[in-house]
Amino acid sequence: ARILAPILAFTADEVWEHIPRGSESDSPVSVHLATFPAPGHYDTDLIPRWNRLFAVREQVLGELEKARTAKTIGSSLEAAVVVHPSAEDAELLERYASQLRYLFIVSQVELGSKADENRIEVRRADGNKCERCWNYSTRVGEFEKYPTVCERCAAALEEIERGTQR
């Protein structure tokens, strides 16, 4: 929030208001009164780690394009990806397993058995298309109140409703 404040002034201030703080917090009331973080304050492994994740993403995007050309899928959200990671990438991909579908912009991601080098399989995603986010999920249709949306969207819609009923 502090780094984005000069560029996204209002958004950074809203984010700052929602950051959890202890009861005796000495942090400023506005992000614009806070100082920038000191250099070296961040995880030194962050950039190489994300560079590696983006390299894997490029491999996945290449396979998605092949699947699109072969008419296996239309859009990337119609895809389920199975990554058989190399020994080098296995731990990293396991660490970010729950976020890979967002990074690859697909509906489902599985980590398969390890391979000599990254091997990516693309198939059509299981389930039905959520009419709200367009991701495919096997849970679309499970929610009585929201029968056409996935589990994430059902939770989001319930939260929105709770906020408007106050």
Side-chain angles (χ1 to χ4, degrees):
R2 291 181 279 177
I3 291 171
L4 290 174
I7 301 161
L8 299 169
F10 295 107
T11 304
D13 215 27
E14 270 189 59
V15 168
W16 190 260
E17 289 175 13
H18 291 88
I19 293 174
R21 293 179 177 76
S23 59
E24 304 260 338
S25 178
D26 61 346
S27 65
V29 293
S30 170
V31 68
H32 303 292
L33 299 174
T35 58
F36 279 119
H41 176 73
Y42 298 104
D43 182 356
T44 56
D45 189 36
L46 188 66
I47 291 173
R49 190 168 58 231
W50 277 93
N51 283 341
R52 191 66 214 134
L53 284 168
F54 281 121
V56 174
R57 181 178 187 263
E58 287 301 314
Q59 294 173 326
V60 170
L61 292 178
E63 293 302 317
L64 287 171
E65 191 55 41
K66 288 178 189 174
R68 204 175 282 116
T69 301
K71 306 280 189 223
T72 304
I73 60 168
S75 75
S76 64
L77 289 177
E78 293 177 8
V81 172
V82 180
V83 179
H84 297 276
S86 65
E88 173 190 2
D89 291 333
E91 185 180 325
L92 177 66
L93 293 175
E94 286 170 12
R95 179 178 181 179
Y96 288 94
S98 66
Q99 299 162 0
L100 292 176
R101 73 183 192 122
Y102 307 112
L103 180 64
F104 302 156
I105 312 172
V106 297
S107 289
Q108 298 153 1
V109 175
E110 288 176 40
L111 293 178
S113 58
K114 292 182 182 160
D116 292 336
E117 58 184 39
N118 290 336
R119 191 168 45 85
I120 292 116
E121 299 171 14
V122 176
R123 60 175 167 74
R124 286 193 62 80
D126 298 326
N128 296 310
K129 184 178 181 179
C130 171
E131 74 174 18
R132 184 170 181 262
C133 69
W134 295 12
N135 278 279
Y136 283 71
S137 171
T138 56
R139 300 201 48 207
V140 171
E142 279 185 18
F143 308 96
E144 187 175 325
K145 193 169 184 179
Y146 308 108
T148 59
V149 300
C150 67
E151 61 279 10
R152 269 183 66 222
C153 290
L157 291 168
E158 286 174 2
E159 187 175 329
I160 290 167
E161 279 188 5
R162 277 193 306 271
T164 59
Q165 292 173 355
R166 290 181 191 172

PDB file of all heavy atoms in Angstrom, residues 50-67:
ATOM      1  N   TRP A  50       9.494 -15.713  -8.368  1.00  0.00           N
ATOM      2  CA  TRP A  50       8.442 -15.333  -9.304  1.00  0.00           C
ATOM      3  C   TRP A  50       8.919 -15.385 -10.747  1.00  0.00           C
ATOM      4  O   TRP A  50       8.125 -15.680 -11.650  1.00  0.00           O
ATOM      5  CB  TRP A  50       7.849 -13.976  -8.934  1.00  0.00           C
ATOM      6  CG  TRP A  50       6.829 -14.177  -7.867  1.00  0.00           C
ATOM      7  CD1 TRP A  50       7.017 -14.107  -6.516  1.00  0.00           C
ATOM      8  CD2 TRP A  50       5.484 -14.588  -8.059  1.00  0.00           C
ATOM      9  NE1 TRP A  50       5.853 -14.428  -5.859  1.00  0.00           N
ATOM     10  CE2 TRP A  50       4.895 -14.731  -6.777  1.00  0.00           C
ATOM     11  CE3 TRP A  50       4.705 -14.850  -9.179  1.00  0.00           C
ATOM     12  CZ2 TRP A  50       3.569 -15.113  -6.609  1.00  0.00           C
ATOM     13  CZ3 TRP A  50       3.387 -15.238  -8.999  1.00  0.00           C
ATOM     14  CH2 TRP A  50       2.832 -15.358  -7.721  1.00  0.00           C
ATOM     15  N   ASN A  51      10.180 -15.146 -11.002  1.00  0.00           N
ATOM     16  CA  ASN A  51      10.705 -15.324 -12.356  1.00  0.00           C
ATOM     17  C   ASN A  51      10.549 -16.776 -12.788  1.00  0.00           C
ATOM     18  O   ASN A  51      10.195 -17.068 -13.931  1.00  0.00           O
ATOM     19  CB  ASN A  51      12.167 -14.890 -12.445  1.00  0.00           C
ATOM     20  CG  ASN A  51      12.322 -13.391 -12.503  1.00  0.00           C
ATOM     21  OD1 ASN A  51      11.375 -12.659 -12.826  1.00  0.00           O
ATOM     22  ND2 ASN A  51      13.501 -12.899 -12.176  1.00  0.00           N
ATOM     23  N   ARG A  52      10.806 -17.693 -11.875  1.00  0.00           N
ATOM     24  CA  ARG A  52      10.657 -19.127 -12.178  1.00  0.00           C
ATOM     25  C   ARG A  52       9.182 -19.475 -12.404  1.00  0.00           C
ATOM     26  O   ARG A  52       8.844 -20.214 -13.320  1.00  0.00           O
ATOM     27  CB  ARG A  52      11.255 -19.965 -11.037  1.00  0.00           C
ATOM     28  CG  ARG A  52      11.397 -21.401 -11.355  1.00  0.00           C
ATOM     29  CD  ARG A  52      12.424 -21.654 -12.468  1.00  0.00           C
ATOM     30  NE  ARG A  52      11.982 -22.780 -13.253  1.00  0.00           N
ATOM     31  CZ  ARG A  52      11.967 -22.848 -14.574  1.00  0.00           C
ATOM     32  NH1 ARG A  52      12.424 -21.864 -15.301  1.00  0.00           N
ATOM     33  NH2 ARG A  52      11.538 -23.900 -15.192  1.00  0.00           N
ATOM     34  N   LEU A  53       8.289 -18.930 -11.568  1.00  0.00           N
ATOM     35  CA  LEU A  53       6.858 -19.169 -11.761  1.00  0.00           C
ATOM     36  C   LEU A  53       6.385 -18.638 -13.120  1.00  0.00           C
ATOM     37  O   LEU A  53       5.599 -19.292 -13.815  1.00  0.00           O
ATOM     38  CB  LEU A  53       6.040 -18.528 -10.631  1.00  0.00           C
ATOM     39  CG  LEU A  53       6.066 -19.253  -9.297  1.00  0.00           C
ATOM     40  CD1 LEU A  53       5.483 -18.378  -8.198  1.00  0.00           C
ATOM     41  CD2 LEU A  53       5.321 -20.582  -9.382  1.00  0.00           C
ATOM     42  N   PHE A  54       6.870 -17.477 -13.505  1.00  0.00           N
ATOM     43  CA  PHE A  54       6.484 -16.921 -14.801  1.00  0.00           C
ATOM     44  C   PHE A  54       7.073 -17.725 -15.955  1.00  0.00           C
ATOM     45  O   PHE A  54       6.466 -17.818 -17.031  1.00  0.00           O
ATOM     46  CB  PHE A  54       6.869 -15.441 -14.907  1.00  0.00           C
ATOM     47  CG  PHE A  54       5.892 -14.542 -14.186  1.00  0.00           C
ATOM     48  CD1 PHE A  54       6.323 -13.714 -13.166  1.00  0.00           C
ATOM     49  CD2 PHE A  54       4.549 -14.527 -14.510  1.00  0.00           C
ATOM     50  CE1 PHE A  54       5.425 -12.904 -12.490  1.00  0.00           C
ATOM     51  CE2 PHE A  54       3.640 -13.711 -13.848  1.00  0.00           C
ATOM     52  CZ  PHE A  54       4.095 -12.890 -12.830  1.00  0.00           C
ATOM     53  N   ALA A  55       8.239 -18.337 -15.759  1.00  0.00           N
ATOM     54  CA  ALA A  55       8.815 -19.210 -16.793  1.00  0.00           C
ATOM     55  C   ALA A  55       7.926 -20.440 -16.990  1.00  0.00           C
ATOM     56  O   ALA A  55       7.660 -20.858 -18.124  1.00  0.00           O
ATOM     57  CB  ALA A  55      10.238 -19.612 -16.419  1.00  0.00           C
ATOM     58  N   VAL A  56       7.446 -21.009 -15.893  1.00  0.00           N
ATOM     59  CA  VAL A  56       6.518 -22.148 -15.986  1.00  0.00           C
ATOM     60  C   VAL A  56       5.221 -21.687 -16.643  1.00  0.00           C
ATOM     61  O   VAL A  56       4.651 -22.382 -17.479  1.00  0.00           O
ATOM     62  CB  VAL A  56       6.259 -22.774 -14.600  1.00  0.00           C
ATOM     63  CG1 VAL A  56       5.181 -23.851 -14.681  1.00  0.00           C
ATOM     64  CG2 VAL A  56       7.535 -23.341 -14.010  1.00  0.00           C
ATOM     65  N   ARG A  57       4.772 -20.492 -16.296  1.00  0.00           N
ATOM     66  CA  ARG A  57       3.549 -19.942 -16.905  1.00  0.00           C
ATOM     67  C   ARG A  57       3.692 -19.849 -18.413  1.00  0.00           C
ATOM     68  O   ARG A  57       2.765 -20.170 -19.158  1.00  0.00           O
ATOM     69  CB  ARG A  57       3.251 -18.565 -16.317  1.00  0.00           C
ATOM     70  CG  ARG A  57       1.997 -17.927 -16.877  1.00  0.00           C
ATOM     71  CD  ARG A  57       1.742 -16.576 -16.204  1.00  0.00           C
ATOM     72  NE  ARG A  57       0.488 -16.030 -16.595  1.00  0.00           N
ATOM     73  CZ  ARG A  57       0.315 -15.134 -17.564  1.00  0.00           C
ATOM     74  NH1 ARG A  57       1.364 -14.678 -18.232  1.00  0.00           N
ATOM     75  NH2 ARG A  57      -0.881 -14.675 -17.862  1.00  0.00           N
ATOM     76  N   GLU A  58       4.853 -19.421 -18.879  1.00  0.00           N
ATOM     77  CA  GLU A  58       5.089 -19.335 -20.325  1.00  0.00           C
ATOM     78  C   GLU A  58       4.981 -20.712 -20.973  1.00  0.00           C
ATOM     79  O   GLU A  58       4.429 -20.845 -22.075  1.00  0.00           O
ATOM     80  CB  GLU A  58       6.462 -18.715 -20.620  1.00  0.00           C
ATOM     81  CG  GLU A  58       6.522 -17.223 -20.364  1.00  0.00           C
ATOM     82  CD  GLU A  58       5.511 -16.439 -21.186  1.00  0.00           C
ATOM     83  OE1 GLU A  58       5.385 -16.697 -22.412  1.00  0.00           O
ATOM     84  OE2 GLU A  58       4.825 -15.573 -20.614  1.00  0.00           O
ATOM     85  N   GLN A  59       5.487 -21.748 -20.294  1.00  0.00           N
ATOM     86  CA  GLN A  59       5.361 -23.109 -20.817  1.00  0.00           C
ATOM     87  C   GLN A  59       3.890 -23.510 -20.891  1.00  0.00           C
ATOM     88  O   GLN A  59       3.444 -24.096 -21.883  1.00  0.00           O
ATOM     89  CB  GLN A  59       6.121 -24.096 -19.927  1.00  0.00           C
ATOM     90  CG  GLN A  59       7.620 -23.900 -19.938  1.00  0.00           C
ATOM     91  CD  GLN A  59       8.308 -24.782 -18.907  1.00  0.00           C
ATOM     92  OE1 GLN A  59       7.767 -25.046 -17.832  1.00  0.00           O
ATOM     93  NE2 GLN A  59       9.514 -25.233 -19.230  1.00  0.00           N
ATOM     94  N   VAL A  60       3.133 -23.191 -19.846  1.00  0.00           N
ATOM     95  CA  VAL A  60       1.710 -23.518 -19.821  1.00  0.00           C
ATOM     96  C   VAL A  60       0.974 -22.769 -20.924  1.00  0.00           C
ATOM     97  O   VAL A  60       0.158 -23.347 -21.650  1.00  0.00           O
ATOM     98  CB  VAL A  60       1.090 -23.206 -18.429  1.00  0.00           C
ATOM     99  CG1 VAL A  60      -0.431 -23.301 -18.470  1.00  0.00           C
ATOM    100  CG2 VAL A  60       1.654 -24.144 -17.378  1.00  0.00           C
ATOM    101  N   LEU A  61       1.273 -21.489 -21.094  1.00  0.00           N
ATOM    102  CA  LEU A  61       0.611 -20.705 -22.144  1.00  0.00           C
ATOM    103  C   LEU A  61       0.876 -21.288 -23.526  1.00  0.00           C
ATOM    104  O   LEU A  61      -0.008 -21.299 -24.389  1.00  0.00           O
ATOM    105  CB  LEU A  61       1.053 -19.243 -22.077  1.00  0.00           C
ATOM    106  CG  LEU A  61       0.595 -18.456 -20.843  1.00  0.00           C
ATOM    107  CD1 LEU A  61       1.147 -17.036 -20.881  1.00  0.00           C
ATOM    108  CD2 LEU A  61      -0.904 -18.463 -20.707  1.00  0.00           C
ATOM    109  N   GLY A  62       2.090 -21.786 -23.744  1.00  0.00           N
ATOM    110  CA  GLY A  62       2.413 -22.429 -25.019  1.00  0.00           C
ATOM    111  C   GLY A  62       1.561 -23.667 -25.258  1.00  0.00           C
ATOM    112  O   GLY A  62       1.047 -23.886 -26.367  1.00  0.00           O
ATOM    113  N   GLU A  63       1.380 -24.473 -24.220  1.00  0.00           N
ATOM    114  CA  GLU A  63       0.553 -25.685 -24.340  1.00  0.00           C
ATOM    115  C   GLU A  63      -0.919 -25.327 -24.495  1.00  0.00           C
ATOM    116  O   GLU A  63      -1.657 -26.013 -25.200  1.00  0.00           O
ATOM    117  CB  GLU A  63       0.763 -26.607 -23.141  1.00  0.00           C
ATOM    118  CG  GLU A  63       2.157 -27.206 -23.081  1.00  0.00           C
ATOM    119  CD  GLU A  63       2.525 -28.015 -24.318  1.00  0.00           C
ATOM    120  OE1 GLU A  63       1.682 -28.798 -24.803  1.00  0.00           O
ATOM    121  OE2 GLU A  63       3.658 -27.865 -24.804  1.00  0.00           O
ATOM    122  N   LEU A  64      -1.358 -24.261 -23.844  1.00  0.00           N
ATOM    123  CA  LEU A  64      -2.746 -23.811 -24.006  1.00  0.00           C
ATOM    124  C   LEU A  64      -3.002 -23.382 -25.446  1.00  0.00           C
ATOM    125  O   LEU A  64      -4.059 -23.674 -26.013  1.00  0.00           O
ATOM    126  CB  LEU A  64      -3.058 -22.658 -23.047  1.00  0.00           C
ATOM    127  CG  LEU A  64      -3.201 -23.010 -21.573  1.00  0.00           C
ATOM    128  CD1 LEU A  64      -3.291 -21.741 -20.737  1.00  0.00           C
ATOM    129  CD2 LEU A  64      -4.401 -23.906 -21.330  1.00  0.00           C
ATOM    130  N   GLU A  65      -2.040 -22.726 -26.039  1.00  0.00           N
ATOM    131  CA  GLU A  65      -2.187 -22.286 -27.425  1.00  0.00           C
ATOM    132  C   GLU A  65      -2.277 -23.490 -28.359  1.00  0.00           C
ATOM    133  O   GLU A  65      -3.081 -23.502 -29.296  1.00  0.00           O
ATOM    134  CB  GLU A  65      -1.026 -21.369 -27.827  1.00  0.00           C
ATOM    135  CG  GLU A  65      -1.244 -20.664 -29.139  1.00  0.00           C
ATOM    136  CD  GLU A  65      -2.546 -19.872 -29.207  1.00  0.00           C
ATOM    137  OE1 GLU A  65      -2.920 -19.203 -28.226  1.00  0.00           O
ATOM    138  OE2 GLU A  65      -3.205 -19.924 -30.267  1.00  0.00           O
ATOM    139  N   LYS A  66      -1.484 -24.513 -28.099  1.00  0.00           N
ATOM    140  CA  LYS A  66      -1.558 -25.744 -28.905  1.00  0.00           C
ATOM    141  C   LYS A  66      -2.940 -26.382 -28.762  1.00  0.00           C
ATOM    142  O   LYS A  66      -3.526 -26.844 -29.742  1.00  0.00           O
ATOM    143  CB  LYS A  66      -0.485 -26.740 -28.465  1.00  0.00           C
ATOM    144  CG  LYS A  66       0.914 -26.346 -28.851  1.00  0.00           C
ATOM    145  CD  LYS A  66       1.904 -27.379 -28.315  1.00  0.00           C
ATOM    146  CE  LYS A  66       3.341 -26.913 -28.478  1.00  0.00           C
ATOM    147  NZ  LYS A  66       4.295 -27.848 -27.842  1.00  0.00           N
ATOM    148  N   ALA A  67      -3.467 -26.423 -27.537  1.00  0.00           N
ATOM    149  CA  ALA A  67      -4.795 -27.006 -27.291  1.00  0.00           C
ATOM    150  C   ALA A  67      -5.882 -26.170 -27.965  1.00  0.00           C
ATOM    151  O   ALA A  67      -6.864 -26.714 -28.471  1.00  0.00           O
ATOM    152  CB  ALA A  67      -5.060 -27.118 -25.795  1.00  0.00           C
TER     153      ALA A  67
END
